[in-house]
Amino acid sequence: MATTTDAGVEALNRLKEIDPPSLLAPNPALSQTARTASQYLFSSLRPFSQKSPLDQLLVDGYDAEQIWHQIDIQSQPLLSTLRRRLKQLVNNPEEISKLKAPSDVANKAEPKNNQDEWEEEESDGFDEELDEGDEDVDEDEEGVEKEEGKGEEEGNEDEDEEDEESAEEDEEEKGEGVGIEDKFFKINELNAFLKKEEVDKGEQDSEDDDMLDEAGDFEMEEDDDDEDEEEEELEEEEEEEEEEEEEEEGKEKTRYDDLSGDKVKKNKTPSTHEKQLEKLQSKIAQMEKANVEPKTWTMQGEVTAAKRPTNSALEVDLDFEHNVRPTPVITEEVTASLEDMIQKRIIEGIFNDVQRAPKLPSKAPREVKELDDNKSKQGLAELYEQEYVQKIDPTSAPLSFKDELKNEASMLFKRLCLKLDALSHFNFAPKPVIEDMSFQTNVPALAMEEIAPVAVSDAAMLAPEEVFDGKGDVKEETELTQAERKRRRANKKRKFKAEEVKRSEKKAPVNAVSSQVNG
Amino acid sequence: MQSNQESSSMEVDVATSEQKVLPPKPKFEPLKPHEMSSGQVQFRKVSVPPHRYTPLKKAWMDIYTPVYEQMKVDLRMNLKARKVELKTRHDTPDISNLQKCADFVHAFMLGFDVIDAIALLRLDELYVESFEIKDVKTLRGDHLSRAIGRLSGKGGKTKFAIENASKTRIVIADTKIHILGSFANIKIARDSLCYLIMGSPAGKVYSKLRAVSARLAERF
């Protein structure tokens, strides 16, 4: 037993000395050391845990999980007994003084207990090396950056735990540093503890932990100083361990006592689920409260200046609809691009000039009659005569009002054009056709046309049907048949006779009248 | 008896058989002016204003010849009474000739030229319209003078412009205005002159005239 104890202590010491980063990489030597230490702690706690089925921690060839489970089997009932004991002590403070007779067994058991728990933590750490290693470091030091060390796997609860632990550790270390005298110290500690209890009822977990730790302290303080260091560490570890285990117990409790309500929860550290639920509920409460309250002025619809606090619009980022395109920022690139475009255009000669749409000569340009300011040379009679003649006989219409010089010039030019066209022999392009209303007379075309074609034609201007106004089949004398000739002669005779009758009638009444007059 | 016969003639069946043969309707030639008013001679007298005395003297032959030769109307100047007298001859074909000649002489007296007035002889439907400035707008003193000036224009060009555009002849005698021409043309000239009297500038009247004359010309 002593050898094993020594080996165990040695192992613990070694573990204590290692630096945490080395824990990150799986190390078989370190593993062996840890296992030995765990075994030692387990066996030291064995006397206190009567119900546990295991006599010894079996580590050879076992998985970390399995080792942990063994430890768990031992520690669960142990914790419950400790809790019960603590409650008793809480209810009957006088008993604390009675406790002062320290049993070496108890003392040894405690450190062993502590060591065991510490070892359990170590085994835990092999599953979650980061966490435990950091925890150890924190505990060794005064716990500065626990959040970083803590793994996300364990969640926020552990952070809380560690915070609590740090506070507790500080307290404990302070407390331990003050005095060694038992009763005096105990009373002081007790008083402090009681005050704390009165102030923070919400943190009964931590208080319980404190109590547990202090109970441990009470028992241990009478011991040698040699063990002080260890005890510190062990106590700290114990706290953690206990907290963890309490946590587990708390979980169990919530499992069984869900219906009992918040009170039960508050008694212990709330489990992860409970904490989540709490958070949710607080969020819900918050949101409901916000909904019930009147909205901020930014959330209301149309808000006049009177309805909002002064100068509040200055503080808020207001969103405006800008219907105007933002003015382009003229940077060097923009100018360069523009200049490039200009140069390119100039080189290619593509300009966006506005070109006048060509106006087609759609209708005949009206002859603009210019007003003659001078006294007309023709008399009024001649004027009307001309008008009359124009009405009757369109061809002999005189040229419209133009200067004679102009007329002469136009005639000369036309003659010239004709000659030039004649040079090209039928290949002249006629003037663009402009619809012009004019009277066509049945005059030989040659006489009318100003530009005589090279080939002289006898064609008349009017078409035959326009000339001839008769109906039916017109035949010449030679073409007629006998019957037709006869018919023609008969018609002629008839007409002649009719005229004769008319003439005779005309003469007859005149004669009759004259005869009457005379008579 | 005839009425009875006429009433009976309404009935077609009976009329043809019972009707008497009526004499043919008389046909009379139109009366010569000489025969009118039971053979008395027709007269017209046109007074001569003093300012037309000398022009009449100058243009007498131009007036006399067409009247006597073509219209076959006798013409003479009564110096004492300062009137021109016209008389039908026995061979005057138509009574309207006398009236036409009288109108012709009267137009000359108003101030028109002989060559312009001759148109009255040649064309049937020429008229002379006269009106005064005060008929259009009451103007006094300077305004009146300015209106007259506006009507004539510089060197008479406005007047000539109107004459040429509307195929009329205009005489502006102080406040009296005479227009010679056909009915529609007189209207055009009169409207233009009225605008001028009422004060519109010549340019505006010109543009109107242009439009009107273009429309007139298009008709043919």
Side-chain angles (χ1 to χ4, degrees):
Chain A
M1 197 59 186
T3 50
T4 52
T5 318
D6 289 338
V9 173
E10 203 188 301
L12 278 172
N13 285 335
R14 236 180 294 142
L15 279 173
K16 193 179 78 171
E17 283 158 19
I18 56 163
D19 33 339
S22 62
L23 285 171
L24 289 170
N27 194 342
L30 202 56
S31 157
Q32 191 54 43
T33 324
R35 282 174 201 229
T36 340
S38 314
Q39 260 185 321
Y40 168 65
L41 282 174
F42 192 87
S43 40
S44 33
L45 278 174
R46 182 68 188 79
F48 295 96
S49 53
Q50 287 88 20
K51 292 176 193 172
S52 80
L54 297 163
D55 288 331
Q56 205 190 26
L57 187 69
L58 306 162
V59 292
D60 297 325
Y62 279 93
D63 203 14
E65 268 291 331
Q66 290 164 326
I67 294 168
W68 165 243
H69 194 61
Q70 290 172 44
I71 295 166
D72 207 19
I73 289 168
Q74 193 205 41
S75 60
Q76 286 279 2
L78 185 61
L79 269 177
S80 52
T81 47
L82 281 170
R83 221 182 279 274
R84 242 182 292 121
R85 184 76 187 113
L86 189 63
K87 270 201 185 134
Q88 283 177 358
L89 289 172
V90 165
N91 294 334
N92 312 327
E94 342 39 273
E95 281 187 26
I96 295 168
S97 48
K98 289 179 193 170
L99 275 175
K100 96 169 170 190
S103 52
D104 285 336
V105 179
N107 271 346
K108 281 192 182 163
E110 283 301 330
K112 281 179 198 167
N113 189 4
N114 292 339
Q115 282 171 9
D116 193 11
E117 288 165 353
W118 187 55
E119 283 310 309
E120 290 171 15
E121 286 166 25
E122 280 301 320
S123 67
D124 240 358
F126 277 98
D127 290 332
E128 307 153 354
E129 275 174 343
L130 270 171
D131 308 332
E132 298 305 324
D134 288 338
E135 280 173 22
D136 294 337
V137 170
D138 287 338
E139 284 144 26
D140 289 340
E141 301 159 0
E142 287 210 352
V144 179
E145 297 168 10
K146 286 192 179 170
E147 285 84 17
E148 290 169 23
K150 260 307 181 192
E152 275 77 26
E153 295 163 20
E154 295 196 337
N156 296 334
E157 308 142 9
D158 296 329
E159 284 183 337
D160 293 342
E161 264 183 70
E162 296 223 55
D163 289 334
E164 289 168 20
E165 288 160 35
S166 63
E168 290 152 24
E169 284 158 11
D170 289 341
E171 262 183 27
E172 281 204 338
E173 283 172 309
K174 255 193 253 166
E176 281 174 2
V178 170
I180 304 168
E181 217 181 321
D182 296 344
K183 286 187 185 175
F184 178 71
F185 194 19
K186 274 188 208 167
I187 289 165
N188 276 348
E189 285 278 357
L190 182 62
N191 287 339
F193 164 69
L194 285 170
K195 279 181 196 168
K196 223 173 103 187
E197 201 183 11
E198 283 167 21
V199 169
D200 296 330
K201 289 212 173 172
E203 290 189 3
Q204 285 182 8
D205 298 337
S206 55
E207 283 148 24
D208 288 342
D209 287 341
D210 278 339
M211 288 180 66
L212 269 175
D213 295 332
E214 278 147 27
D217 280 345
F218 304 152
E219 287 168 34
M220 280 194 311
E221 266 149 38
E222 290 153 17
D223 294 345
D224 313 328
D225 293 348
D226 302 328
E227 292 189 336
D228 268 345
E229 275 190 73
E230 265 192 271
E231 285 169 11
E232 280 183 31
E233 303 158 15
L234 295 174
E235 282 167 1
E236 289 155 26
E237 273 90 86
E238 196 194 311
E239 288 171 34
E240 230 192 295
E241 177 66 51
E242 284 170 356
E243 281 182 18
E244 283 190 305
E245 295 184 355
E246 280 171 11
E247 200 190 291
E248 291 175 34
E249 287 206 339
K251 275 190 200 162
E252 284 182 39
K253 286 234 162 177
T254 49
R255 257 180 269 141
Y256 298 131
D257 303 331
D258 253 333
L259 301 171
S260 60
D262 291 345
K263 284 184 193 171
V264 179
K265 274 190 195 172
K266 278 181 187 169
N267 287 337
K268 310 204 167 93
T269 326
S271 61
T272 323
H273 175 66
E274 279 172 5
K275 284 191 180 169
Q276 274 180 353
L277 273 178
E278 264 182 44
K279 277 197 185 142
L280 260 179
Q281 281 178 354
S282 68
K283 265 194 208 164
I284 290 167
Q286 232 180 35
M287 291 173 86
E288 283 180 356
K289 193 175 148 206
N291 275 351
V292 165
E293 277 175 359
K295 293 183 182 173
T296 55
W297 71 269
T298 49
M299 285 300 145
Q300 289 168 356
E302 287 183 9
V303 178
T304 57
K307 289 183 190 162
R308 57 178 169 82
T310 53
N311 293 340
S312 52
L314 294 170
E315 293 144 20
V316 176
D317 261 333
L318 295 171
D319 199 9
F320 290 102
E321 258 187 36
H322 298 275
N323 294 326
V324 189
R325 218 187 285 164
T327 55
V329 177
I330 305 293
T331 56
E332 286 212 23
E333 296 151 1
V334 172
T335 352
S337 71
L338 278 173
E339 282 172 4
D340 283 339
M341 195 171 82
I342 291 166
Q343 280 168 7
K344 204 174 89 172
R345 287 284 186 92
I346 290 168
I347 289 162
E348 289 173 12
I350 307 167
F351 303 112
N352 290 349
D353 287 341
V354 177
Q355 280 167 349
R356 194 173 276 279
K359 209 165 57 167
L360 297 165
S362 54
K363 54 180 181 179
R366 268 194 202 175
E367 218 171 71
V368 180
K369 193 161 187 187
E370 288 158 22
L371 283 177
D372 189 20
D373 286 8
N374 307 316
K375 186 173 170 119
S376 74
K377 287 161 191 110
Q378 297 173 329
L380 196 64
E382 276 131 47
L383 214 58
Y384 279 108
E385 182 189 332
Q386 267 171 23
E387 226 180 272
Y388 177 75
V389 162
Q390 202 178 33
K391 227 199 302 187
I392 300 299
D393 195 11
T395 40
S396 56
L399 288 166
S400 51
F401 175 72
K402 263 185 201 172
D403 276 348
E404 281 173 8
L405 285 170
K406 268 195 208 171
N407 287 343
E408 215 181 302
S410 63
M411 279 311 301
L412 285 169
F413 186 68
K414 275 173 189 161
R415 266 193 224 124
L416 178 66
C417 280
L418 174 71
K419 283 180 187 161
L420 289 171
D421 292 336
L423 284 173
S424 53
H425 281 292
F426 289 105
N427 285 344
F428 67 90
K431 272 195 254 178
V433 176
I434 299 166
E435 289 297 319
D436 195 12
M437 192 181 82
S438 63
F439 287 91
Q440 295 279 11
T441 51
N442 195 16
V443 162
L446 187 63
M448 287 306 290
E449 281 175 4
E450 293 163 301
I451 299 169
V454 173
V456 176
S457 83
D458 290 340
M461 287 298 277
L462 292 174
E465 53 267 21
E466 287 170 322
V467 173
F468 178 62
D469 204 7
K471 46 188 166 171
D473 210 10
V474 180
K475 286 188 175 174
E476 254 200 354
E477 284 270 349
T478 48
E479 292 177 320
L480 293 170
T481 57
Q482 190 76 5
E484 280 170 2
R485 250 189 242 125
K486 278 195 176 177
R487 206 181 292 131
R488 282 199 184 191
R489 185 172 159 76
N491 284 338
K492 229 199 274 183
K493 275 179 112 178
R494 241 178 268 138
K495 274 189 206 156
F496 188 74
K497 274 191 184 168
E499 272 178 37
E500 277 287 329
V501 167
K502 256 193 183 175
R503 243 183 278 138
S504 62
E505 276 179 12
K506 244 179 132 179
K507 281 182 187 169
V510 172
N511 292 334
V513 167
S514 58
S515 67
Q516 275 182 7
V517 169
N518 290 336
Chain B
M1 203 167 126
Q2 277 198 348
S3 61
N4 285 341
Q5 282 176 345
E6 279 169 17
S7 62
S8 65
S9 71
M10 299 293 277
E11 298 163 24
V12 180
D13 298 330
V14 184
T16 46
S17 56
E18 293 182 354
Q19 208 176 8
K20 278 191 207 166
V21 179
L22 288 166
K25 282 189 186 160
K27 283 194 185 162
F28 297 113
E29 296 286 341
L31 280 173
K32 289 213 180 89
H34 245 60
E35 293 151 12
M36 267 192 221
S37 52
S38 52
Q40 275 184 336
V41 170
Q42 305 284 315
F43 271 107
R44 291 282 185 276
K45 287 180 184 158
V46 182
S47 60
V48 182
H51 67 283
R52 290 308 273 172
Y53 204 68
T54 326
L56 179 66
K57 269 208 273 192
K58 288 210 179 99
W60 177 253
M61 282 320 290
D62 295 326
I63 295 168
Y64 182 83
T65 323
V67 168
Y68 193 82
E69 317 272 292
Q70 270 134 42
M71 291 279 122
K72 305 215 184 340
V73 169
D74 254 342
L75 187 68
R76 76 161 183 204
M77 175 70 188
N78 189 345
L79 288 161
K80 220 165 174 203
R82 301 274 166 110
K83 283 190 208 266
V84 173
E85 289 167 4
L86 297 113
K87 185 172 86 128
T88 56
R89 288 201 322 243
H90 63 272
D91 57 348
T92 317
D94 204 5
I95 192 66
S96 61
N97 284 8
L98 182 64
Q99 188 55 47
K100 272 188 189 172
C101 294
D103 287 336
F104 162 62
V105 175
H106 182 67
F108 180 80
M109 297 309 156
L110 286 176
F112 291 102
D113 266 346
V114 180
I115 39 178
D116 298 330
I118 281 278
L120 277 166
L121 292 180
R122 295 178 69 177
L123 291 164
D124 249 354
E125 287 165 4
L126 292 186
Y127 306 97
V128 176
E129 172 156 340
S130 313
F131 64 96
E132 285 195 50
I133 289 176
K134 68 180 182 204
D135 293 345
V136 180
K137 191 170 181 182
T138 315
L139 298 164
R140 273 185 279 272
D142 269 353
H143 301 297
L144 185 61
S145 317
R146 268 196 290 273
I148 296 167
R150 247 196 327 274
L151 285 172
S152 333
K154 196 178 245 167
K157 63 181 185 137
T158 315
K159 188 175 84 120
F160 292 136
I162 297 171
E163 281 182 4
N164 291 330
S166 62
K167 290 204 197 77
T168 54
R169 293 289 176 262
I170 300 170
V171 166
I172 302 175
D174 223 5
T175 53
K176 289 195 183 57
I177 299 165
H178 312 282
I179 308 172
L180 169 68
S182 66
F183 184 70
N185 295 341
I186 284 173
K187 184 175 182 310
I188 294 163
R190 189 180 63 226
D191 287 343
S192 311
L193 289 167
C194 286
Y195 283 131
L196 283 167
I197 292 167
M198 286 196 286
S200 73
K204 220 178 199 177
V205 174
Y206 277 21
S207 54
K208 281 203 182 116
L209 279 174
R210 242 179 254 125
V212 168
S213 62
R215 217 181 319 124
L216 276 178
E218 261 185 21
R219 251 194 267 153
F220 302 112

